[in-house]
Amino acid sequence: MAETIRRRLLGSLRAQAAASSEPGADGLWEDVDYADLDVADWAPFRHLVRLRMLAVASPDAAMRAMDAWLRLDPRCPNWWYDQLGAPRALGDAALLLEPALSPAQRAAVCRILRRAAFAGMTGQNLLWAAEVVIRRCLLEGDDDGLAEAFRQAATLLTPGTGEGVQPDYSFHQHGPQLYSGGYGHEFAVDMAALAVLGAGTPLALPLDELSAYFLDGQRWMLHAGRYDIACMGRESTREGNARRGRILEAAARSLAGAGAPRAAELRAFGRGPGPGARYFPRSDYLSVHRTGWSAAVKTSSTRTVLSEAGNGEGLRGRHLCDGVTHLWRTGEEYADLWPVQDWRHLPGVTAASRPGPPPPLADFGQDTGGSPFAGGLSDGLLALCAMHLDRDGVRARKAWFFFLEEYVALGAGITGADPGAPVHTTIDQVALTGEVVADSGTVRHNGVAYHVLDGPPPTVRAGRRTGRWSDVNRSQSPRDLAADVLEIWLDHGPAPRDAAYAYLAVPGPAPASSPTVLANTPSLQAVRHSGLDVTQAVFHRPGTLTLPDGSSVTVSRPLLLQLTGADDVIAACPLSPGAVADVTRWVQLRRPG
């Protein structure tokens, strides 16, 4: 059993090998600052990355580097490097070099690997700890410890309400914070690799939930191969991190090869979920996929933690959970705009427009949204979601209604507390590609038409923007960057009172029929699509919606509701998302006559 795990792990490590420079006679690299104490990009870690590569290509040079590391044993102020990152990389190198290790070297390596322990670990951190323990147990010949490490990893595959995989297959880390594109990405890739190691042995992992996590969770967070930055936490500000869809696609294929259920879907992972919509109530997140385009909305509530800052990362993500609405057709719409974009003008967000970037949240804070009201609803194809925004003196009732070829965004009750700061609702901020046509409340660009149905006329700003990755993440490159950016927003003026907006987004050819706004007030927001015979509504409080044919819908509590045809009703409660709303108890339909 252990030998099977060892053989498979060594094969994987050798397949990942790449070229590396060699260290000096003392086993050190001149370009590595071994005294560095950076908590986000710790320079000595590069030594271990190179050591792991050399262990395949040049074992003699690798042994010099191994001895140098064991001699110095550098420590980082960031516990992750000390307990997880460095031990794991060192364990990889030691396994590759194992035939040449002396008993003293093996013992010294294992002392460092013992810094990883299961106590106090959750989510992806627990999985990283298990990976370190697996390496140590292979080096020490500890079969019982090896089995325990696999058992600990297997516990993470059962969805729960703590950190890790949620019952809706989104992923949380650092509290109830959506991290599917950050820690959750690493979890998927590492767990798939662990599944391959244990396949067909007594240590095999249960794969049904892991397969569901890939297909019913991670697959919905990707759009044209890129993660939505609203599900990445502070990791969205690491250059290139959003482009890791291909890595996840390869992991899905390997999982299929390990015998996971739904293998055909896993092999076709890169094609996306197909036309559909999925709401993740544990994370206040809606993902919509269509043929030719996709979109996502990230809201927040008092139940979910906002996208964090920490270790000098995520410095401008203050509004990433305030209704951010990204719309993709090619996948290049937002590619690497993060260093140059206006972070107060994130798409979909209503916020005060003050000079300079928004201030970062407290490092690793547990700040939540300002209201318990946030929720969503989907029948698997159509969808809607809504939130009560209450951030930094700005309040608003915001709702989104997704149909087959378009979506409607509504805002009502918009109030700002600062008379010196105008409140803006941003429709989009996107890479400028080709001509922008603005006419009579409509803005067209790159195959998308935005029609302002109510509220102030759209403001358009297009041109060159400059910035640096280090502006949003101190560990990233300080090189100057420039990109052409298009911004479209609605200006509600300073300190607005009960302002409103409505706009229709059409990412493709004009549909045969368009939805109609039935209500947009602080009490009720509703849209009807006559071509689909569908009405969607957000009842912010109990009330009645009268339909064009004279029929009505009355609810006795706050609800999100979709009515299809004469009497097909589905509903969700925005105050307790995930709970099934009792339509017979809370909803009353009346027909004319």
Side-chain angles (χ1 to χ4, degrees), residues 264-400:
E265 289 181 81
L266 288 167
R267 293 190 183 97
F269 185 91
R271 301 176 191 169
R278 188 174 181 89
Y279 183 70
F280 295 85
R282 293 287 304 165
S283 298
D284 297 333
Y285 186 77
L286 174 64
S287 178
V288 177
H289 285 254
R290 300 286 186 254
T291 301
W293 61 277
S294 62
V297 182
K298 177 66 180 83
T299 60
S300 62
S301 68
T302 52
R303 299 175 297 274
T304 50
V305 169
L306 305 178
S307 183
E308 71 184 1
N311 291 341
E313 301 184 295
L315 297 178
R316 296 186 179 177
R318 189 176 191 87
H319 297 297
L320 266 174
C321 300
D322 290 351
V324 167
T325 309
H326 287 120
L327 173 63
W328 297 265
R329 294 180 70 246
T330 67
E332 300 300 314
E333 284 80 1
Y334 311 101
D336 298 328
L337 284 189
W338 328 140
V340 304
Q341 71 179 1
D342 183 342
W343 285 80
R344 295 188 189 275
H345 272 178
L346 294 178
V349 165
T350 299
S353 180
R354 298 184 175 95
L361 298 170
D363 274 10
F364 301 108
Q366 294 290 297
D367 294 326
T368 68
S371 169
F373 190 109
L377 175 67
S378 175
D379 62 5
L381 187 59
L382 309 183
L384 66 150
C385 68
M387 71 178 294
H388 287 185
L389 175 70
D390 187 356
R391 293 288 312 284
D392 298 338
V394 176
R395 296 181 178 181
R397 306 288 171 91
K398 295 171 69 69
W400 296 259

Side-chain angles (χ1 to χ4, degrees), residues 61 75 77 101 220 245 263 287 453 529 534:
R75 307 297 292 268
L101 292 180
W220 292 87
S287 178
L453 309 176
H529 198 299
V534 169

Side-chain angles (χ1 to χ4, degrees), residues 59-186:
D60 290 342
M63 288 298 293
R64 292 201 312 274
M66 171 82 76
D67 285 335
W69 186 269
L70 296 176
R71 181 176 69 251
L72 289 179
D73 191 15
R75 307 297 292 268
C76 179
N78 183 343
W79 72 270
W80 182 87
Y81 280 109
D82 264 10
Q83 298 180 35
L84 300 176
R88 176 183 164 180
L90 181 63
D92 286 345
L95 284 170
L96 289 165
L97 295 170
E98 186 177 11
L101 292 180
S102 69
Q105 288 170 320
R106 185 190 303 266
V109 168
C110 289
R111 277 196 297 272
I112 292 176
L113 269 57
R114 284 187 180 278
R115 292 171 186 162
F118 298 128
M121 297 291 186
T122 60
Q124 174 60 18
N125 288 327
L126 178 57
L127 180 54
W128 275 318
E131 290 178 308
V132 176
V133 172
I134 287 168
R135 284 147 177 79
R136 177 181 59 77
C137 290
L138 289 173
L139 289 167
E140 293 184 330
D142 181 357
D143 288 351
D144 289 342
L146 183 67
E148 175 62 13
F150 271 84
R151 190 194 71 79
Q152 290 281 350
T155 65
L156 296 171
L157 292 174
T158 300
T161 57
E163 293 188 347
V165 180
Q166 300 300 298
D168 61 8
Y169 298 108
S170 60
F171 193 93
H172 287 180
Q173 198 80 39
H174 297 172
Q177 177 181 182
L178 178 59
Y179 242 125
S180 294
Y183 286 94
H185 168 85
E186 300 294 343

Side-chain angles (χ1 to χ4, degrees), residues 283-535:
S283 298
D284 297 333
Y285 186 77
L286 174 64
S287 178
V288 177
H289 285 254
R290 300 286 186 254
T291 301
W293 61 277
S294 62
V297 182
K298 177 66 180 83
T299 60
S300 62
S301 68
T302 52
R303 299 175 297 274
T304 50
V305 169
L306 305 178
S307 183
E308 71 184 1
N311 291 341
E313 301 184 295
L315 297 178
R316 296 186 179 177
R318 189 176 191 87
H319 297 297
L320 266 174
C321 300
D322 290 351
V324 167
T325 309
H326 287 120
L327 173 63
W328 297 265
R329 294 180 70 246
T330 67
E332 300 300 314
E333 284 80 1
Y334 311 101
D336 298 328
L337 284 189
W338 328 140
V340 304
Q341 71 179 1
D342 183 342
W343 285 80
R344 295 188 189 275
H345 272 178
L346 294 178
V349 165
T350 299
S353 180
R354 298 184 175 95
L361 298 170
D363 274 10
F364 301 108
Q366 294 290 297
D367 294 326
T368 68
S371 169
F373 190 109
L377 175 67
S378 175
D379 62 5
L381 187 59
L382 309 183
L384 66 150
C385 68
M387 71 178 294
H388 287 185
L389 175 70
D390 187 356
R391 293 288 312 284
D392 298 338
V394 176
R395 296 181 178 181
R397 306 288 171 91
K398 295 171 69 69
W400 296 259
F401 306 85
F402 285 88
F403 302 101
L404 295 180
E405 299 174 271
E406 66 280 282
Y407 71 86
V408 174
L410 300 181
I414 301 170
T415 301
D418 186 350
V423 172
H424 293 173
T425 294
T426 302
I427 295 176
D428 207 354
Q429 182 176 195
V430 66
L432 178 61
T433 305
E435 185 180 14
V436 180
V437 178
D439 179 51
S440 301
T442 294
V443 180
R444 291 182 171 85
H445 169 255
N446 195 29
V448 180
Y450 289 109
H451 306 279
V452 176
L453 309 176
D454 185 37
T459 300
V460 176
R461 178 168 64 188
R464 195 66 129 176
R465 300 287 298 275
T466 59
R468 297 172 293 272
W469 276 103
S470 58
D471 293 336
V472 297
N473 185 327
R474 294 193 187 102
S475 69
Q476 299 294 292
S477 170
R479 72 184 184 278
D480 291 326
L481 299 172
D484 295 325
V485 180
L486 169 65
E487 295 173 77
I488 310 167
W489 73 88
L490 307 174
D491 187 348
H492 306 292
R497 290 290 180 269
D498 202 30
Y501 67 83
Y503 62 86
L504 168 69
V506 182
S513 61
S514 294
T516 302
V517 176
L518 300 181
N520 187 25
T521 72
S523 300
L524 172 63
Q525 294 171 300
V527 177
R528 174 161 176 78
H529 198 299
S530 58
L532 301 175
D533 196 13
V534 169
T535 300

